[in-house]
Amino acid sequence: MSEQTRYDKVVDLALRRGLFYPSSELHGAIAGFYDYGSVGSRIKNNWENCWRGFFLRRLGEPFVEIQPAEVAPEKVFEASGHLTQFVDPITECGKCGAVERADHLLESHLKEGFEGLSAKGLGALIKKHKVKCHKCGGDLKEVSVLNMMLSTRIGTGKLSKPAYMRPETTQGVVVNFKREYLINRERLPLGIAVIGRAFRNEIAPRQTLFRMREFTQAEIQVFCDPSELAKHARFSEVATSKIPVVLAKERKKGIQMVSAKALAKEYGEVYAYYMARISEFYASPGLRVRFFEKNEEERAFYNKYQFDIEYEFEDGGWREIAGFHYRTDHDLAGHARVSGQDLSVNRNGKRVIPHIVELSFGVDRNLLALLDAGYREEKKKDEMRVWLSLPPAVAPFTAGVYPLVNKDRLPEKTEEVLQLLRNAGLDVFLDDGGSIGRRYARADEIGVPFGITIDYDTFKDDSVTVRERDSTKQERVKIKVLAEHLKNKLNK
Ligand code: GAP
């Protein structure tokens, strides 16, 4: 049997410990849909709160958050271009009927990327290299394109109208731009953020959370005056930051550490400024990422500049977990045209259609990256210790609290300690089943940074044993300073 990759182990752990699992499994799960369990929901909520904390609060940028609807009428996607351009190239097997993404099929045969190549170009390559159906070896039909949006209808009978589940959170922001611009005192730049679900009828959902049909995005569209993209008021704060980039025109050079100042010369200070801030966001949990620039053929139809932000999975190479885009006035101009409304704003007596710089994060892929980066195992004698070294800010709990035994007033003392920690704002849980070793192991597996044991000595010295997840080091800490002690450790 082939050895499990780290990714496989992370997925096993996730399924076993309720991080996530296939949706509607009871009735036969559909590929591409996953539910977050009780532990996974905590980690996901924590990630989203860290993202809000960094981008919406700490940076001090003019960013606001809204919650638009997930379903929108057809006109929205006519205006955005998704109706005609949000398509994937597909090919169907003439023998068994299996449908494949043509570019992915070629990629797996020829071991190089074909993203962005036209259906015609892909069809020609399939013929040239005599690529057959990977399932049955049958001949493949002509390459065609398939729209990736999930459609629905709103209303009943003849009066019902076509609608779509949003394929990106962006459009909910764009259609509300004018309203939010007025509410937010007619300022530019104005960043409008959304954390919410997006839906895509992916042809080949795969690798659990990595390519799903329903997933979560955390996005900010920064609306800017196009004549002000060259300068950013706070650029000096990041000018010397070095950003790991793979430039489209210098791909052969691989990752280069380029200063924000140098990038600003090519892309303008506003664009380079947010690249530096995104780098900072990833540096804090220690996630190593690179900005991979897409060339003209590879870019999404709405982008003038596009950098995929990629994390290197231990076994699968660099893969996209977020994107950083310059969408120009593509969206507002499209919505203005289709709605017949004026979406320009007054800038010093001139009418201007704002341009969008977009920070787009796939929440689920970011969680996978954190799980991949945090997965640890260590063989001791015959036992394998497995733990998730998650950053404390995203860990599902701060600490587990464990009475040594469930008698002799230990449960009451444990309840006292739990309450004290909860009152101090710490997220703690009680585990009073099985040996202490097993309780530590269970908490380690879901990434809980500390374990606190209440034992008989607690009555003598008013102290507890605090054990750290990563080092497994233990120390006695007085109950009266316990909350402070944990908070200090968390902030280190
Ligand atoms: N608004 C821009 C936009 O949606 P995108 O590159 O298509 O850009 C942004 O998506 C991010 O959403 C990606 O970087 C990825 O992390 C995540 N994402 C896209 N498709 C996904 C899928 N099928 N499953 C999980 N995450 C996905």
Side-chain angles (χ1 to χ4, degrees):
M1 212 170 85
S2 66
E3 208 180 298
Q4 270 200 318
T5 62
R6 174 145 63 155
Y7 187 84
D8 297 334
K9 289 176 186 173
V10 166
V11 171
D12 272 3
L13 174 76
L15 296 173
R16 195 171 65 246
R17 298 308 312 277
L19 271 65
F20 56 81
Y21 30 72
S23 190
S24 307
E25 205 173 17
L26 190 61
H27 298 285
I30 319 172
F33 293 90
Y34 279 84
D35 294 343
Y36 282 90
S38 48
V39 174
S41 297
R42 281 177 169 272
I43 299 176
K44 182 168 184 275
N45 289 340
N46 289 343
W47 187 91
E48 290 171 0
N49 286 334
C50 286
W51 185 89
R52 284 193 178 96
F54 184 85
F55 288 105
L56 307 188
R57 290 194 283 278
R58 221 185 91 197
L59 285 191
E61 294 285 314
F63 291 172
V64 297
E65 184 178 0
I66 65 168
Q67 297 186 26
E70 289 170 4
V71 180
E74 192 168 54
K75 285 247 178 263
V76 169
F77 302 108
E78 182 189 333
S80 67
H82 284 81
L83 213 50
T84 51
Q85 295 181 74
F86 193 58
V87 291
D88 267 349
I90 55 158
T91 173
E92 191 185 337
C93 173
K95 197 169 155 199
C96 75
V99 176
E100 278 281 338
R101 253 184 78 161
D103 51 346
H104 289 177
L105 195 64
L106 272 169
E107 208 174 300
S108 66
H109 270 74
L110 303 176
K111 307 289 171 233
E112 55 175 302
F114 294 96
E115 198 180 341
L117 200 65
S118 68
K120 208 169 151 200
L122 291 166
L125 279 175
I126 285 178
K127 276 206 183 93
K128 180 174 166 200
H129 294 281
K130 299 192 173 54
V131 179
K132 301 282 177 195
C133 169
H134 81 290
K135 285 206 172 127
C136 74
D139 287 334
L140 297 168
K141 292 187 186 168
E142 287 296 311
V143 176
S144 57
V145 290
L146 187 81
N147 195 291
M148 287 173 70
M149 285 195 291
L150 278 174
S151 60
T152 182
R153 291 194 75 81
I154 299 167
T156 50
K158 275 190 193 151
L159 297 179
S160 76
K161 295 214 162 68
Y164 294 89
M165 311 296 293
R166 62 183 180 198
E168 55 169 2
T169 58
T170 316
Q171 298 311 317
V173 164
V174 180
V175 294
N176 288 313
F177 163 71
K178 203 65 185 276
R179 205 182 270 275
E180 284 298 326
Y181 176 72
L182 294 174
I183 291 166
N184 288 286
R185 309 187 61 105
E186 304 185 32
R187 280 178 326 200
L188 288 184
L190 170 67
I192 305 181
V194 173
I195 296 185
R197 301 283 178 154
F199 304 82
R200 297 182 187 178
N201 197 7
E202 297 283 355
I203 296 153
R206 60 191 157 134
Q207 289 170 311
T208 63
L209 306 187
F210 197 80
R211 191 172 297 284
M212 292 194 283
R213 288 172 163 148
E214 176 180 346
F215 54 97
T216 304
Q217 292 186 319
E219 296 197 305
I220 306 169
Q221 283 73 40
V222 190
F223 293 84
C224 307
D225 182 330
S227 69
E228 293 170 1
L229 288 169
K231 291 274 163 229
H232 189 285
R234 293 171 57 193
F235 189 72
S236 61
E237 292 173 27
V238 303
T240 56
S241 306
K242 291 278 171 88
I243 298 159
V245 291
V246 178
L247 298 172
K249 56 179 188 255
E250 295 174 359
R251 259 190 208 165
K252 287 216 171 90
K253 290 190 179 167
I255 301 177
Q256 305 182 64
M257 297 305 292
V258 180
S259 71
K261 199 170 168 190
L263 288 167
K265 285 198 185 119
E266 177 86 19
Y267 307 97
E269 283 189 5
V270 169
Y271 198 75
Y273 175 81
Y274 290 115
M275 275 175 107
R277 294 307 194 194
I278 295 170
S279 278
E280 268 173 46
F281 174 71
Y282 281 111
S284 103
L287 219 52
R288 200 168 80 88
V289 296
R290 69 178 190 185
F291 287 74
F292 188 91
E293 189 178 19
K294 295 290 191 170
N295 63 33
E296 204 176 335
E297 288 82 55
E298 295 162 341
R299 288 197 287 264
F301 60 91
Y302 45 75
N303 281 335
K304 181 164 176 197
Y305 307 148
Q306 176 175 337
F307 282 82
D308 283 356
I309 299 160
E310 299 179 329
Y311 162 79
E312 190 175 23
F313 283 84
E314 201 231 15
D315 45 289
W318 292 96
R319 280 188 251 143
E320 177 194 352
I321 59 171
F324 182 49
H325 311 145
Y326 173 36
R327 296 177 75 119
T328 67
D329 64 354
H330 168 90
D331 302 275
L332 280 177
H335 284 283
R337 193 182 60 249
V338 172
S339 68
Q341 308 256 339
D342 178 11
L343 297 180
S344 65
V345 300
N346 181 356
R347 299 288 289 166
N348 308 317
K350 275 210 296 207
R351 301 304 301 177
V352 170
I353 296 196
H355 282 206
I356 295 177
V357 171
E358 177 179 69
L359 292 72
S360 175
F361 297 77
V363 177
D364 318 276
R365 289 188 186 181
N366 272 270
L367 292 190
L368 272 187
L370 281 174
L371 296 179
D372 185 83
Y375 185 87
R376 304 272 188 285
E377 54 183 28
E378 187 182 44
K379 196 154 187 171
K380 273 200 176 153
K381 294 187 189 144
D382 288 341
E383 287 228 358
M384 183 69 92
R385 179 166 110 81
V386 170
W387 74 104
L388 282 182
S389 182
L390 290 177
V394 295
F397 298 92
T398 303
V401 183
Y402 317 124
L404 185 66
V405 288
N406 287 314
K407 57 181 185 180
D408 302 334
R409 291 189 295 122
L410 283 172
E412 289 81 358
K413 194 71 191 166
T414 303
E415 193 48 48
E416 238 176 69
V417 172
L418 277 164
Q419 206 46 52
L420 183 125
L421 296 175
R422 285 185 186 129
N423 290 346
L426 295 170
D427 219 344
V428 290
F429 69 97
L430 167 72
D431 185 356
D432 57 5
S435 72
I436 288 288
R438 285 230 163 275
R439 286 182 251 176
Y440 285 155
R442 279 200 292 264
D444 286 350
E445 272 203 325
I446 57 168
V448 180
F450 301 106
I452 294 164
T453 305
I454 321 290
D455 55 24
Y456 288 108
D457 284 343
T458 302
F459 294 111
K460 292 184 206 148
D461 59 7
D462 223 22
S463 298
V464 293
T465 300
V466 176
R467 172 190 177 270
E468 276 188 74
R469 172 197 66 201
D470 292 354
S471 65
T472 72
K473 279 201 185 117
Q474 302 193 5
E475 58 182 327
R476 292 294 285 181
V477 178
K478 290 273 183 214
I479 292 175
K480 65 173 189 239
V481 296
L482 181 60
E484 215 45 42
H485 175 87
L486 295 179
K487 284 184 181 173
N488 286 341
K489 292 236 165 196
L490 291 175
N491 291 332
K492 260 189 194 160

